[in-house]
């Protein structure tokens, strides 16, 4: 069994005399490192005869950088941009409306 992170081998387990996979009840683990980009974790298993399992991949983001998390969370990022645009548009509308109404009051007075 071979573990890959971003297409690089990070761990390999073979069927040897100590048979680590069997002694671990088939539960293997890998501790990923934090990076400020998406990572892909892939597991490929090969049996004693040479049959290769279907490739299983998981894409994940592991970072403590809040800006990277916000930027990579598409719904949150898009919602933030939309909120800023709406707030800016509402502010512009209110200022424009007040200036227009203030000009009419001065013309009447």
């Amino acid at each position: 069994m071979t573990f890959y992170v971003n297409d690089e081998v990070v761990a390999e387990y073979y069927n040897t005399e100590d048979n680590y996979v069997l002694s671990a009840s088939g539960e293997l683990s890998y501790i990923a490192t934090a990076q400020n980009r998406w990572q892909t974790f892939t597991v490929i298993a090969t049996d004693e005869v040479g049959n290769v399992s279907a490739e299983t991949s998981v894409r994940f983001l592991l970072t403590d950088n809040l800006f990277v998390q916000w930027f990579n969370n598409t719904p949150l990022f898009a919602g933030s941009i939309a909120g800023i645009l709406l707030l800016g548009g509402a502010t512009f509308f209110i200022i424009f409306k007040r200036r227009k109404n203030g000009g009419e009051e001065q013309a009447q007075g």
Side-chain angles (χ1 to χ4, degrees), residues 38-108:
W38 286 99
Q39 300 179 71
T40 304
F41 181 76
T42 306
V43 176
I44 299 177
T46 306
D47 65 12
E48 292 179 354
V49 180
N51 299 319
V52 178
S53 69
E55 190 173 295
T56 304
S57 296
V58 176
R59 189 171 174 244
F60 65 96
L61 178 66
L62 181 62
T63 180
D64 57 0
N65 185 325
L66 292 176
F67 178 76
V68 172
Q69 291 177 22
W70 171 72
F71 184 76
N72 283 291
N73 186 341
T74 305
L76 179 62
F77 181 70
S80 298
I81 299 298
I84 290 169
L85 291 174
L86 285 172
L87 186 61
T91 303
F92 176 76
F93 179 75
I94 290 169
I95 291 172
F96 179 74
K97 185 87 165 164
R98 284 190 179 172
R99 284 189 180 172
K100 184 178 177 184
N101 288 342
E104 289 176 3
E105 289 175 7
Q106 288 179 356
Q108 292 176 359

